[in-house]
Amino acid sequence: MATPFFSIVTPVYDPAPRDLQATVDSVLAQTFTDWEWIVVDDASPNPEVLAVLRSAAQAEPRIRVRERDSNGHIVRASNDALERATGEWVVLLDHDDLLEATALERVAEAIAGSPGVGYVYTDEDKIGPDGTLTGEFRKPEWSPERLRHQMYLGHLSALRHDLVRRVGGFRAGFDGSQDHDLALRVTELGDPVVHLPEVLYHWRIVPGSTAGDTTAKDYASEAGLRAVRDHLDRVGRAQDRVVMARIAHTYRTIRHLDPRTLVSVVIPTRGAHGLAWGVERCFVLDAVLSLLAHTDHGLLEIVVVYDSDTPDDVLSSLRETCGEALVLVEYARPFNFSEKCNLGYVRASGDVVVFLNDDVEIQSESFLEQLCAPLEEPGVGMTGARLTFSDGTIQHAGHSYYADQFVHTLHGALDEDPGPFGALVVDREVSGLTAACVALRREVIDEVGGFWTFLPSNFNDVDLSYKVRSTGRRLVWLADVHATHFESRTRVSTVHEWEHRAILERWGTPEHDLYLPGV
């Protein structure tokens, strides 16, 4: 294949001349030589800035400088650069950041190895005033749900030029989040997105930069909010709403579930009682009560798969609570969680089926609506909730699979902790989801065959997660769909070596988790 020709695009406005010179040096040091650098000075007030740029252009003909007479802000300056770019690929570089010497070479190799690719992004870190490198961000594999809620692609981004032209370049009015808006529009076109898992870009920490202060540039958050709103309209989710999440530059989607969707909630139980938060409770009854109190969805079916020794008074209370929405399914065999879930599914009628443990208490409003609505989008195969222990720490924020391990991501973190790079704040793709609370469309369950009954207790959700992902569908963890999980209050869980061996032999694991490789 012919090697790509890169157009590096950099709008410049009043960086420290020393930092700008370091950026110039990092471009000139590239081991890959088929590039041009289009630099647009946006009327920087410091004359030393233009002196650095003019000197660089005089010494290197591949550097072309456009000098604006007036300040037009970053979108206009960036579009000025795009208009002059001639390469098949556009590479975005800020005016005071640094490229690794092999950055363009490695991106070119990624393009050559991925026919039809439209977007390549790399890992990054931060560089301090003293040159110290910190804050390494090992990014997930292509994660469109996370991109919707956070511009995680960031630096280094390389975009195929014809796609950038097709969407019209950067859009006026999105200064500060112009790259997020562009990334959403380009990736919506459907061309493959490739992650190059190497730190090839160093993001400089300067006063007022979001590299050093995530609260900086509030106007950028507002622009990002509008970018996501427009994105939702374009992808057919006009009834969804988008609001700011709890840290800057992250967003939350409040989704609309089609009221015509019949949702079946399958709850395996043996009707156990116990203490939670110092109060005696019947777990399954309280789970159902909390579920009904936190949903307004009308088409709802509760399928309770109960052991034969479940107390009669528990079943009577369920009938009284659920009325005609209740489907009771007796289970008279030795404990097998997978089999109980499958049996419940067979008796369920819903378009969407939610599998829910009996030892949960729903916390967030519109719980079922928010859990199930993402399944209306093409490519989403399974969704899962944020589960916290009774002490408020994280029990489930997705599964991570790596190095022969299957673990709950960020297990035990404080609920208020945003997590690394906002991982506990935003909806995002994950490797797996716990069967304690998941939702799937009926046709997906049919396609993958439900739960693997060979695993009666542990890792059956790992197997289900792998099977759904094997169909090409995505698994989405929802940061604001929240329940408390009184884990192991109704059954003591013991992991056996044969279970671990069975799931490893069936699926294996990558060396690093696909979606949180740095955790």
Side-chain angles (χ1 to χ4, degrees), residues 188-329:
E188 285 165 19
L189 298 176
D191 295 76
V193 179
V194 170
H195 172 221
L196 178 53
E198 298 178 30
V199 176
L200 298 175
Y201 192 103
H202 310 297
W203 188 14
R204 190 175 298 279
I205 301 172
V206 296
S209 165
T210 53
D213 178 5
T214 58
T215 65
K217 299 183 181 178
D218 284 344
Y219 70 90
S221 285
E222 292 288 345
L225 190 73
R226 285 184 278 108
V228 177
R229 173 67 272 162
D230 285 1
H231 159 75
L232 291 172
D233 290 345
R234 289 192 300 270
V235 300
R237 300 297 302 177
Q239 294 188 77
D240 293 348
R241 293 190 297 119
V242 59
V243 298
M244 297 288 190
R246 57 188 173 92
I247 62 174
H249 316 295
T250 62
Y251 311 96
R252 175 189 173 201
T253 301
I254 301 172
R255 306 169 199 257
H256 172 80
L257 176 64
D258 188 334
R260 298 168 296 180
T261 301
L262 174 58
V263 177
S264 296
V265 182
V266 174
I267 307 177
T269 191
R270 61 186 180 92
H273 290 69
L275 285 174
W277 288 325
V279 177
E280 178 77 16
R281 65 171 65 202
C282 173
F283 285 101
V284 65
L285 182 58
D286 282 5
V288 170
L289 286 168
S290 70
L291 181 69
L292 295 176
H294 290 83
T295 183
D296 295 317
H297 190 66
L299 288 179
L300 179 61
E301 177 183 70
I302 308 293
V303 182
V304 176
V305 184
Y306 67 96
D307 289 0
S308 297
D309 59 355
T310 299
D312 289 339
D313 64 322
V314 172
L315 300 179
S316 296
S317 295
L318 287 170
R319 292 188 186 98
E320 183 179 346
T321 299
C322 301
E324 294 183 357
L326 181 66
V327 177
L328 288 174
V329 183

Side-chain angles (χ1 to χ4, degrees), residues 8 20-33 35 37 52-53 55-63 93 99-102 104:
I8 308 169
L20 176 60
Q21 183 61 57
T23 302
V24 171
D25 293 341
S26 78
V27 173
L28 294 175
Q30 291 302 299
T31 57
F32 185 86
T33 58
W35 55 263
W37 189 13
V52 170
L53 295 178
S55 175
Q58 185 176 10
E60 172 53 69
R62 291 175 296 178
I63 300 176
L93 173 64
L99 298 177
E100 276 289 309
T102 58
L104 296 184

Side-chain angles (χ1 to χ4, degrees), residues 79 82 162-172 182 185-186:
N79 280 333
L82 285 178
D162 65 309
L163 302 182
V164 176
R165 290 193 193 99
R166 194 188 309 178
V167 301
F170 296 100
R171 286 202 296 170
L182 180 63
R185 288 181 291 124
V186 166

Side-chain angles (χ1 to χ4, degrees), residues 495-515:
V495 178
H496 299 285
E497 192 278 334
W498 69 265
E499 296 170 303
H500 189 248
R501 184 173 65 252
I503 197 68
L504 274 178
E505 290 176 353
R506 190 169 171 98
W507 295 107
T509 62
E511 181 180 355
H512 302 285
D513 185 70
L514 298 179
Y515 296 104

